[in-house]
Amino acid sequence: MKNTFGTSVAVTLFGESHGAMIGAVLDGMAPGVEVDEDFIARQLTLRRPYGAISTGRVEPDRFEIVSGVFEGRTTGTPLTILIPNTDTRSRDYAPLRALARPGHADYTAWAKYHGFADYRGGGHFSGRLTLPIVAAGVVAKKMIGYKVSAELVEVGGVSREDALASYREEALPDGGIEEKDTPGASEIWKDVLDEAIREKDSVGGIVECRVTNVPAGLGEPFFDSVESLISHAIFAIPGVRGIEFGDGFRAAAMKGSEHNDPFDTADSSGLKLHSSVHPSKNGAGGVNGGITNGNPIVFRTAFKPTSSIGKAQETFNFATGEICTLQIPGRHDACIALRTPVIVEAMTAIVLADLTRML
Amino acid sequence: MKNTFGTSVAVTLFGESHGAMIGAVLDGMAPGVEVDEDFIARQLTLRRPYGAISTGRVEPDRFEIVSGVFEGRTTGTPLTILIPNTDTRSRDYAPLRALARPGHADYTAWAKYHGFADYRGGGHFSGRLTLPIVAAGVVAKKMIGYKVSAELVEVGGVSREDALASYREEALPDGGIEEKDTPGASEIWKDVLDEAIREKDSVGGIVECRVTNVPAGLGEPFFDSVESLISHAIFAIPGVRGIEFGDGFRAAAMKGSEHNDPFDTADSSGLKLHSSVHPSKNGAGGVNGGITNGNPIVFRTAFKPTSSIGKAQETFNFATGEICTLQIPGRHDACIALRTPVIVEAMTAIVLADLTRML
Amino acid sequence: MKNTFGTSVAVTLFGESHGAMIGAVLDGMAPGVEVDEDFIARQLTLRRPYGAISTGRVEPDRFEIVSGVFEGRTTGTPLTILIPNTDTRSRDYAPLRALARPGHADYTAWAKYHGFADYRGGGHFSGRLTLPIVAAGVVAKKMIGYKVSAELVEVGGVSREDALASYREEALPDGGIEEKDTPGASEIWKDVLDEAIREKDSVGGIVECRVTNVPAGLGEPFFDSVESLISHAIFAIPGVRGIEFGDGFRAAAMKGSEHNDPFDTADSSGLKLHSSVHPSKNGAGGVNGGITNGNPIVFRTAFKPTSSIGKAQETFNFATGEICTLQIPGRHDACIALRTPVIVEAMTAIVLADLTRML
Amino acid sequence: MKNTFGTSVAVTLFGESHGAMIGAVLDGMAPGVEVDEDFIARQLTLRRPYGAISTGRVEPDRFEIVSGVFEGRTTGTPLTILIPNTDTRSRDYAPLRALARPGHADYTAWAKYHGFADYRGGGHFSGRLTLPIVAAGVVAKKMIGYKVSAELVEVGGVSREDALASYREEALPDGGIEEKDTPGASEIWKDVLDEAIREKDSVGGIVECRVTNVPAGLGEPFFDSVESLISHAIFAIPGVRGIEFGDGFRAAAMKGSEHNDPFDTADSSGLKLHSSVHPSKNGAGGVNGGITNGNPIVFRTAFKPTSSIGKAQETFNFATGEICTLQIPGRHDACIALRTPVIVEAMTAIVLADLTRML
């Protein structure tokens, strides 16, 4: 199926970074779901790079829904989101045509498409293609009604707790804590990010996603397990290196008596549950045997550091067949992970919409 | 698609632990691939639990290929593998009918199938269903010709290196190292496993899989990325908690200059490559932009500790609606992770067979 | 997907005529549907050839359901039906290995599978593979609850009405009509069939299928239209040459005012309707814009005459590359169409089960 | 999958008649296929209604390819075609909102989408959605290289031969036959069409499609048979009532000795063959056992008369729940079948592109 994903609710992705536009078709929506275009627009801004001028590209991220919505609600027919590419300074990319940027898909695209792919700005492989996913995710989230919420828990190897402690110390040198502050990730990890920019380098990060108010019974035993479908969708986001559910990799070092979740009927755990029976600790991340158990679905996603950096790198030139040194000009996005929580939420919402309508 | 996975090469899984038989249909095989039934039989034994008597169930794991093979080779039509369930002492499970064993799918199966599922021995959720996957994987591996090889790198929190050092110290108290020794996982981590058995508890582990001799160009940009498809298949294996490719979660704490792979044309890395151009370090695990880059595909999978343990656990009784204490009788498999490398290989081979035939 | 069909309810088909067994996996069933094995056995006998000895093969058509059913009801997990091949006199087919029987798939199988296919008795292309479809169809029918009913309306170019008139005249030479008689197709068209047998030839037929008590709203606008899915499934039955819905090919010669269905709210049409609003004439065969309109779904399927005949035919020898004359030994099934109404019903029920669970 | 069709080459359809635009995504194209936008534009004009003013809507049918094409060739990534709706006089349709036009999908859309669908001009069910299919088909045709050619063989019950004879008699009253003349369908059947217009009525027609130069070996034994996939796609075209391959419904009245195709190695049949071995008569329409046999694929499609007619019709009003009389204002397209050969070709080319890339 290549660029279409899903069974009952399916999303098809298309477009190149420097083509006329990019977009997605979201098929299988329930009819009658409210579509709030203002909210979509605000969600799209959350995907903006750290420091608006950092990537040297300022797109307004205008979008248009050209089908599947009528009088403000989904019709039930395919919903198509288009996002025009307006700031496509293609001339910048011509010298890069024959160069495989390390960490990018330039070389693999060349191997796969025999040199016919649009190479400008990453072409079809551009992270911009996650924009229509974010828009589609907003609609999917509205349909399912579960709360899907992702946030950064680590940037550049520094945990949220540590970064927050430093941030508050700096912001309030007298030691007072201003509880009302809800600083953004770029503020919390400002030191880490600024250092990366100074060094013409980049950093990665880890995003945690929690889905609450999910009913028990979604998902299938093996191939369409909740983890299978979510990981499938999450690895479609550029830059993902790993995913883990519940106790994740730590579970491999736990005893069974430690990792197993005794069942409980009280909601003393503070978890927002759909029914009163549930595993008590949620080490399984809300899923047993591929099927939701009523606990929140919890998973973490590791994002690599941005591939485009200012430092000189060795690479390969397709035209000459030689190894050469590449210094990517301009300023770069210091940390793509900052832009990803809203994408993780969108992918998750689309998968859950599919599972919800998949009998 | 529920219990069918794949596009050009697809596998369908069926059966319950205590039904007449379990099996799989492997569709889309190239015709003319040799099928070595003796080798399949040997691969199936690798899935045996640690300590043959440990689970109290000794199945000979006989299998029969009833379609899709003619005169020792695949025909190109659906290949069906059947594995009869011979040692199905169903009476053992009757008292468990209304009990949700912690860590198992009993509760979620009940929620999903409204009480109609076969509850005996985990029913359709049994780990036994990975047996036909192993058999199918052997055929898929033969078709693709790439080397797919998985091994345990950590058990009970102890790395292979540390366990091996202890093992050799104990085995050879005079400090000499017998290079010819290739001890099995159950020997290397014998201390860890024996402790778990003594404590009526269980341990988890981490499996690393490497695929070498893969051509560049397999996989798709987003939803059918190599990582998306492999993770989809791997999370179908019972007990998986996480997966990571290349540098994995560690990548999130690396700098871009550290994680990026400069390109190289020499094979000085010692990696077995398909073509002469390749990233030099393989931090991406053989995949850029969802597509193989000619480096080995490398990923790690975290397995939880066995859910069935001898220790008393709190649980829920469907019939009475009450929380009660459960002590699962008999001896249990101390570490399911030991049995999984051959399953991880099989799932990977099936995905790569699909990608290889997916134009 | 090759040998798997369906989205929410999917069927996978496997086996060869002279292998160990043939079978099907029916996935996506609702849990709790009663499975009546005696009724399935009776339905399978309806697929028997005209004159039990006619094809020289007497299979008891025993079947076994080895998964997905527990205590007489579907569990919701994949339901697997196996039918062993007991009367496989493979030696009969060896001389045919290199001969392309006209009308059969011998030549195309050779072209597709490069000579690796099991050639005995048609191999995977055998009409026997419709047996597990019939069994699966019984379960699907029970699940949906709509009445799916197919019957022959033409055999050997003679309509049911004409054949019935002749039959009654012969049976009751005094002109009296015995209303209680419900003769089978092989009695009604006995003259036509006997003549074909005498001439060592074969005849075709047309099957009409009606589905009543279907709700309005099943199906999708374009690619998953009711007609698209039903025709897809029906053309999977060996020997089908055409399908038409409602007025069918006759519609092409009608005026719009004649073919259009004015809407009606009364049930004066005698059609068994699901709701009170419906098109009055049903020229559309129960489907508008791909979606059921509450009228009965009505379609007709044309079956070709049996390909295997006793007469000498020209054909091609793969081994020698030469045209030669083939006379297929033994007696043959004079009319496969007689065996197909139960298969048409089964395929239709499976499609409707899928549409019913496809939100 | 609802609005996506295909496996290796897949098409996704979206849009409503009076929304901003309609379009299609064609995924899975081989990279490097030439895309001739002028030729696409000319093909789109073949879908124009009989008498440009007849439907009262004059769309220029401008289209834009916004992804998947670079420097005049396919890139291998999803190819997206957009066609803006410019002449959307939505006010015309408001009075029709609650009226189910006979033969249209108004009632079924209302039943399926619970009143949320865009009702204007048929919404998503509009025949306009075949426009992007035509454009996609041109690209698919170029990729496969087989000749796909469809033409009307019957309109309003009058065969092409009869209509052509009358046309030539009228055009050349002196009996001379002007061989150079290649009149269009609207000229050949002018009398039939003019009569329908005068009567404020409509007529149907039959389209025959032939695919030549197809290799043997495409297609699958059962569910993905060539006939299954082509019929699936053809029934997605609005207004189709039936499809038949080769001898079609006539085969049901033939003897086996008459319908069977003896094999031949000479090309004396005048058929353009891919290899020298082939069935001699092509009664099977180029397909045995679901797989191409090297003969041309031949099938016929029956189109119903246009549903929108000027005559008064009975119908149902959703708002009032009452039966009422509807007279659809304006002039109407007398025969949709005239516009369909190019759509039939496009659908067929897309299916064959899929089969060609489906290993």
Side-chain angles (χ1 to χ4, degrees):
Chain A
M1 264 307 163
K2 298 183 169 68
N3 292 284
T4 296
F5 179 64
T7 300
S8 290
V9 170
V11 64
T12 299
L13 207 54
F14 58 84
E16 281 85 29
S17 179
H18 285 64
M21 58 187 83
I22 58 173
V25 182
L26 182 65
D27 194 11
M29 274 296 105
V33 176
E34 270 186 89
V35 177
D36 179 344
E37 301 210 355
D38 290 341
F39 183 63
I40 293 174
R42 286 196 300 277
Q43 291 292 98
L44 291 184
T45 64
L46 299 178
R47 240 194 92 277
R48 292 283 175 91
Y50 170 59
I53 54 162
S54 62
T55 62
R57 179 168 182 174
V58 188
E59 290 278 344
D61 293 342
R62 290 184 299 106
F63 71 97
E64 193 183 0
I65 297 178
V66 298
S67 74
V69 175
F70 183 56
E71 297 177 348
R73 289 175 184 272
T74 57
T75 56
T77 58
L79 187 159
T80 305
I81 300 145
L82 298 180
I83 300 180
N85 294 318
T86 52
D87 179 24
T88 54
R89 295 173 301 167
S90 304
R91 62 191 174 285
D92 289 350
Y93 291 92
L96 289 172
R97 180 162 203 171
L99 286 177
R101 291 169 298 161
H104 282 279
D106 302 331
Y107 172 67
T108 56
W110 175 80
K112 183 175 185 65
Y113 301 116
H114 312 301
F116 289 107
D118 183 348
Y119 62 91
R120 299 168 301 167
H124 182 56
F125 294 81
S126 167
R128 262 181 78 72
L129 271 88
T130 56
L131 270 170
I133 289 290
V134 170
V138 170
V139 183
K141 238 193 254 187
K142 185 78 182 178
M143 190 191 97
I144 54 180
Y146 322 142
K147 183 163 163 41
V148 182
S149 154
E151 66 170 10
L152 274 162
V153 294
E154 185 186 302
V155 171
V158 181
S159 75
R160 184 178 192 84
E161 290 71 29
D162 289 353
L164 207 49
S166 300
Y167 165 79
R168 288 188 167 144
E169 209 168 302
E170 284 180 39
L172 307 161
D174 58 353
I177 291 171
E178 186 61 64
E179 291 288 345
K180 291 193 300 288
D181 275 339
T182 53
S186 59
E187 293 169 282
I188 297 175
W189 284 282
K190 188 171 189 304
D191 295 350
V192 175
L193 295 165
D194 285 349
E195 186 196 319
I197 291 170
R198 271 197 310 274
E199 295 178 354
K200 296 189 172 182
D201 215 326
S202 62
V203 290
I206 297 176
V207 170
E208 183 170 289
C209 184
R210 300 175 65 83
V211 189
T212 50
N213 204 28
V214 189
L218 296 183
E220 300 289 335
F222 291 94
F223 297 118
D224 280 357
S225 76
V226 170
E227 301 104 318
S228 285
L229 294 182
I230 288 180
S231 68
H232 189 140
I234 292 298
F235 274 113
I237 305 173
V240 172
R241 282 285 172 269
I243 189 169
E244 57 176 14
F245 287 79
D247 290 334
F249 274 83
R250 293 190 317 280
M254 293 165 85
K255 291 279 171 66
S257 57
E258 192 182 357
H259 177 66
N260 269 359
D261 272 337
F263 277 85
D264 199 354
T265 51
D267 202 352
S268 58
S269 63
L271 304 170
K272 189 178 179 189
L273 297 171
H274 193 83
S275 73
S276 62
V277 187
H278 61 93
S280 59
K281 296 181 315 182
N282 206 17
V287 186
N288 291 131
I291 298 169
T292 54
N293 61 23
N295 266 4
I297 300 173
V298 181
F299 65 92
R300 273 167 303 284
T301 305
F303 285 90
K304 69 174 183 180
T306 317
S307 294
S308 287
I309 56 175
K311 284 189 171 175
Q313 299 177 87
E314 296 262 284
T315 193
F316 176 71
N317 183 310
F318 304 151
T320 65
E322 287 170 352
I323 297 297
C324 61
T325 299
L326 169 71
Q327 191 149 10
I328 305 175
R331 293 179 67 182
H332 307 286
D333 193 359
C335 179
I336 50 163
L338 266 73
R339 311 163 66 174
T340 60
V342 69
I343 307 169
V344 169
E345 288 181 10
M347 283 290 193
T348 307
I350 292 169
V351 168
L352 291 172
D354 191 16
L355 282 170
T356 301
R357 280 171 78 78
M358 200 192 294
L359 276 181
Chain B
M1 265 305 166
K2 298 183 169 67
N3 291 283
T4 295
F5 177 64
T7 300
S8 290
V9 171
V11 64
T12 299
L13 207 54
F14 57 84
E16 282 85 31
S17 180
H18 286 64
M21 58 188 84
I22 58 172
V25 182
L26 181 65
D27 194 11
M29 273 295 107
V33 177
E34 271 185 87
V35 177
D36 180 343
E37 301 209 354
D38 289 340
F39 183 63
I40 293 174
R42 286 196 300 278
Q43 292 293 99
L44 292 183
T45 64
L46 299 178
R47 242 193 93 276
R48 294 281 176 91
Y50 171 59
I53 55 165
S54 61
T55 62
R57 178 170 183 173
V58 188
E59 289 279 346
D61 292 343
R62 290 184 301 105
F63 72 97
E64 195 183 358
I65 298 179
V66 298
S67 74
V69 175
F70 184 56
E71 299 177 344
R73 290 175 183 273
T74 57
T75 56
T77 58
L79 188 159
T80 306
I81 299 144
L82 298 179
I83 299 179
N85 293 319
T86 53
D87 177 26
T88 53
R89 294 172 303 167
S90 304
R91 62 192 174 283
D92 290 349
Y93 291 93
L96 289 171
R97 181 163 201 169
L99 286 178
R101 291 168 299 161
H104 282 279
D106 302 332
Y107 171 67
T108 56
W110 176 78
K112 182 174 186 66
Y113 300 116
H114 312 301
F116 290 106
D118 181 350
Y119 61 91
R120 301 167 301 166
H124 182 56
F125 294 81
S126 167
R128 261 183 78 70
L129 272 88
T130 56
L131 270 171
I133 289 291
V134 170
V138 170
V139 183
K141 237 194 254 188
K142 183 78 181 179
M143 190 191 97
I144 53 180
Y146 323 142
K147 184 163 163 40
V148 182
S149 155
E151 66 169 12
L152 274 162
V153 294
E154 186 186 303
V155 171
V158 180
S159 75
R160 184 178 191 83
E161 289 71 28
D162 289 353
L164 205 50
S166 300
Y167 165 78
R168 289 191 166 142
E169 210 169 301
E170 285 180 40
L172 306 162
D174 58 354
I177 291 169
E178 187 63 61
E179 290 290 346
K180 290 191 300 287
D181 275 338
T182 53
S186 59
E187 291 169 284
I188 297 175
W189 283 282
K190 189 171 188 304
D191 294 350
V192 175
L193 296 164
D194 286 348
E195 186 196 319
I197 291 171
R198 272 196 311 276
E199 294 178 354
K200 296 190 174 184
D201 214 326
S202 62
V203 289
I206 297 176
V207 171
E208 182 171 290
C209 184
R210 300 174 65 83
V211 189
T212 49
N213 203 28
V214 190
L218 296 182
E220 300 288 335
F222 291 92
F223 298 118
D224 280 356
S225 77
V226 170
E227 300 105 319
S228 286
L229 294 182
I230 289 180
S231 68
H232 189 139
I234 293 297
F235 274 114
I237 305 173
V240 173
R241 280 286 172 267
I243 188 168
E244 59 177 12
F245 287 79
D247 289 333
F249 274 83
R250 293 190 317 279
M254 293 165 86
K255 292 280 169 67
S257 56
E258 193 182 357
H259 177 65
N260 269 358
D261 273 335
F263 277 87
D264 199 352
T265 52
D267 202 351
S268 58
S269 60
L271 303 170
K272 190 178 177 189
L273 297 171
H274 194 83
S275 73
S276 61
V277 186
H278 60 95
S280 58
K281 296 180 313 181
N282 206 17
V287 187
N288 291 130
I291 297 170
T292 54
N293 61 25
N295 267 3
I297 301 173
V298 181
F299 65 92
R300 274 166 304 283
T301 304
F303 284 89
K304 69 174 182 179
T306 318
S307 294
S308 286
I309 56 175
K311 285 189 170 174
Q313 300 177 88
E314 296 262 283
T315 192
F316 176 70
N317 184 310
F318 303 151
T320 65
E322 286 170 353
I323 297 296
C324 61
T325 298
L326 169 72
Q327 190 149 9
I328 305 175
R331 294 180 66 184
H332 306 286
D333 192 0
C335 178
I336 49 162
L338 267 72
R339 311 165 66 174
T340 59
V342 69
I343 307 169
V344 168
E345 288 181 11
M347 285 290 194
T348 307
I350 291 168
V351 168
L352 291 172
D354 191 16
L355 282 170
T356 300
R357 279 171 78 78
M358 200 193 293
L359 275 181
Chain C
M1 266 304 166
K2 297 184 171 65
N3 292 284
T4 296
F5 178 65
T7 300
S8 290
V9 171
V11 64
T12 299
L13 207 54
F14 58 84
E16 282 84 31
S17 180
H18 286 64
M21 58 187 84
I22 58 172
V25 182
L26 181 65
D27 194 11
M29 273 296 105
V33 176
E34 270 184 271
V35 177
D36 180 343
E37 301 208 356
D38 290 340
F39 183 62
I40 293 174
R42 285 197 300 279
Q43 291 293 99
L44 292 183
T45 64
L46 299 178
R47 241 195 93 274
R48 292 282 175 92
Y50 170 59
I53 54 163
S54 61
T55 62
R57 179 168 183 174
V58 188
E59 290 277 345
D61 293 342
R62 291 183 299 106
F63 71 97
E64 195 184 358
I65 298 179
V66 298
S67 75
V69 174
F70 184 55
E71 298 177 346
R73 289 175 183 273
T74 57
T75 56
T77 58
L79 188 158
T80 306
I81 300 144
L82 298 179
I83 299 180
N85 293 319
T86 54
D87 178 25
T88 53
R89 296 172 303 167
S90 305
R91 61 192 176 285
D92 289 349
Y93 291 93
L96 289 171
R97 181 162 202 169
L99 286 178
R101 292 168 299 162
H104 283 279
D106 302 331
Y107 172 67
T108 56
W110 176 78
K112 183 175 185 66
Y113 300 116
H114 312 300
F116 289 106
D118 182 349
Y119 61 91
R120 300 167 301 168
H124 182 56
F125 294 82
S126 166
R128 262 182 78 72
L129 272 89
T130 55
L131 270 170
I133 289 290
V134 171
V138 170
V139 182
K141 239 194 252 187
K142 184 78 181 177
M143 190 190 98
I144 54 179
Y146 322 142
K147 184 163 162 42
V148 182
S149 155
E151 66 170 11
L152 274 162
V153 293
E154 185 187 304
V155 171
V158 180
S159 74
R160 185 177 191 84
E161 290 70 29
D162 289 353
L164 207 49
S166 299
Y167 165 79
R168 287 187 168 146
E169 210 169 301
E170 284 181 39
L172 307 161
D174 59 352
I177 291 169
E178 186 63 62
E179 291 289 346
K180 291 194 298 291
D181 275 338
T182 55
S186 59
E187 292 170 283
I188 297 176
W189 283 283
K190 188 170 188 304
D191 295 349
V192 174
L193 296 165
D194 285 349
E195 184 196 321
I197 290 170
R198 271 196 312 276
E199 295 178 354
K200 297 191 171 181
D201 215 327
S202 62
V203 291
I206 297 176
V207 171
E208 183 170 290
C209 184
R210 300 175 66 84
V211 189
T212 50
N213 204 27
V214 190
L218 297 182
E220 299 288 335
F222 291 93
F223 298 117
D224 280 357
S225 75
V226 170
E227 300 104 319
S228 285
L229 294 182
I230 288 180
S231 68
H232 189 138
I234 293 298
F235 274 114
I237 306 173
V240 172
R241 281 286 172 266
I243 189 169
E244 58 176 12
F245 287 79
D247 289 334
F249 274 84
R250 293 190 317 279
M254 294 165 85
K255 292 279 171 66
S257 56
E258 193 182 357
H259 177 65
N260 270 359
D261 273 336
F263 277 85
D264 198 354
T265 51
D267 203 350
S268 58
S269 61
L271 304 169
K272 189 178 178 187
L273 297 170
H274 194 83
S275 74
S276 62
V277 186
H278 61 93
S280 59
K281 296 180 314 182
N282 206 18
V287 187
N288 291 130
I291 297 169
T292 53
N293 61 24
N295 267 5
I297 301 172
V298 181
F299 65 91
R300 272 166 304 283
T301 305
F303 284 90
K304 69 174 183 181
T306 318
S307 294
S308 287
I309 56 174
K311 284 188 173 175
Q313 299 178 88
E314 296 262 283
T315 192
F316 176 71
N317 184 309
F318 303 151
T320 65
E322 287 169 353
I323 297 297
C324 59
T325 298
L326 169 72
Q327 190 150 10
I328 305 176
R331 293 180 67 183
H332 306 286
D333 193 358
C335 178
I336 50 164
L338 266 71
R339 311 164 67 173
T340 60
V342 70
I343 307 169
V344 168
E345 288 181 10
M347 284 290 193
T348 306
I350 292 168
V351 168
L352 291 172
D354 191 16
L355 283 170
T356 301
R357 279 171 79 78
M358 200 192 293
L359 275 180
Chain D
M1 263 309 163
K2 298 185 168 66
N3 292 284
T4 296
F5 178 65
T7 301
S8 290
V9 171
V11 64
T12 299
L13 207 54
F14 57 84
E16 281 85 31
S17 180
H18 286 65
M21 59 188 85
I22 58 173
V25 182
L26 181 66
D27 194 10
M29 273 296 106
V33 176
E34 271 185 87
V35 177
D36 180 344
E37 302 210 354
D38 290 340
F39 183 63
I40 294 174
R42 286 196 300 276
Q43 292 292 100
L44 292 183
T45 64
L46 298 178
R47 243 194 90 276
R48 293 281 175 91
Y50 171 59
I53 54 163
S54 61
T55 63
R57 179 169 183 173
V58 188
E59 290 278 345
D61 292 342
R62 289 184 300 105
F63 71 97
E64 195 183 359
I65 297 179
V66 299
S67 74
V69 175
F70 184 55
E71 298 177 346
R73 289 175 183 272
T74 57
T75 56
T77 58
L79 188 160
T80 306
I81 300 146
L82 299 179
I83 299 179
N85 293 319
T86 53
D87 178 25
T88 53
R89 294 172 303 166
S90 304
R91 62 193 175 284
D92 290 349
Y93 291 91
L96 289 171
R97 181 162 203 170
L99 286 178
R101 291 167 298 160
H104 282 279
D106 302 332
Y107 171 67
T108 57
W110 175 78
K112 181 173 187 67
Y113 301 116
H114 312 300
F116 290 107
D118 182 349
Y119 62 91
R120 301 167 300 167
H124 182 55
F125 294 81
S126 166
R128 261 182 78 71
L129 271 88
T130 56
L131 269 170
I133 290 290
V134 171
V138 170
V139 182
K141 237 193 255 187
K142 183 78 182 178
M143 190 191 96
I144 54 179
Y146 322 142
K147 183 162 163 42
V148 182
S149 154
E151 66 169 11
L152 275 163
V153 293
E154 185 186 304
V155 171
V158 180
S159 74
R160 185 177 191 84
E161 290 70 29
D162 289 354
L164 206 49
S166 301
Y167 165 77
R168 288 189 168 144
E169 211 169 302
E170 285 182 39
L172 306 161
D174 57 355
I177 292 169
E178 188 62 63
E179 291 289 343
K180 292 191 301 287
D181 274 338
T182 53
S186 59
E187 292 169 284
I188 297 175
W189 284 281
K190 188 169 190 304
D191 294 350
V192 175
L193 296 164
D194 285 349
E195 186 197 320
I197 291 171
R198 272 196 311 276
E199 295 178 354
K200 296 190 173 185
D201 214 325
S202 62
V203 290
I206 297 176
V207 171
E208 183 171 289
C209 184
R210 301 175 65 83
V211 189
T212 49
N213 203 28
V214 190
L218 297 182
E220 300 288 334
F222 291 93
F223 297 118
D224 280 357
S225 76
V226 170
E227 300 104 319
S228 286
L229 294 182
I230 288 181
S231 69
H232 189 139
I234 293 297
F235 274 113
I237 306 173
V240 172
R241 280 285 172 268
I243 189 170
E244 58 176 14
F245 287 79
D247 289 334
F249 274 84
R250 292 190 318 278
M254 293 165 86
K255 292 279 170 66
S257 57
E258 193 183 357
H259 177 65
N260 270 359
D261 272 337
F263 277 85
D264 198 354
T265 51
D267 203 351
S268 57
S269 62
L271 303 170
K272 190 179 177 187
L273 298 170
H274 194 82
S275 74
S276 61
V277 187
H278 60 94
S280 58
K281 295 181 315 182
N282 207 17
V287 187
N288 291 130
I291 298 170
T292 53
N293 61 24
N295 267 4
I297 301 172
V298 181
F299 66 90
R300 274 166 304 283
T301 304
F303 285 89
K304 70 174 183 180
T306 318
S307 294
S308 287
I309 55 175
K311 284 188 171 175
Q313 299 177 88
E314 296 262 283
T315 193
F316 177 70
N317 184 309
F318 303 151
T320 64
E322 287 170 352
I323 297 295
C324 61
T325 298
L326 169 71
Q327 190 150 8
I328 305 176
R331 295 180 66 184
H332 307 287
D333 193 359
C335 178
I336 50 162
L338 267 71
R339 311 165 65 173
T340 59
V342 70
I343 307 169
V344 168
E345 288 181 10
M347 284 289 193
T348 306
I350 291 168
V351 168
L352 291 173
D354 191 15
L355 282 171
T356 300
R357 280 172 77 78
M358 200 193 291
L359 276 180

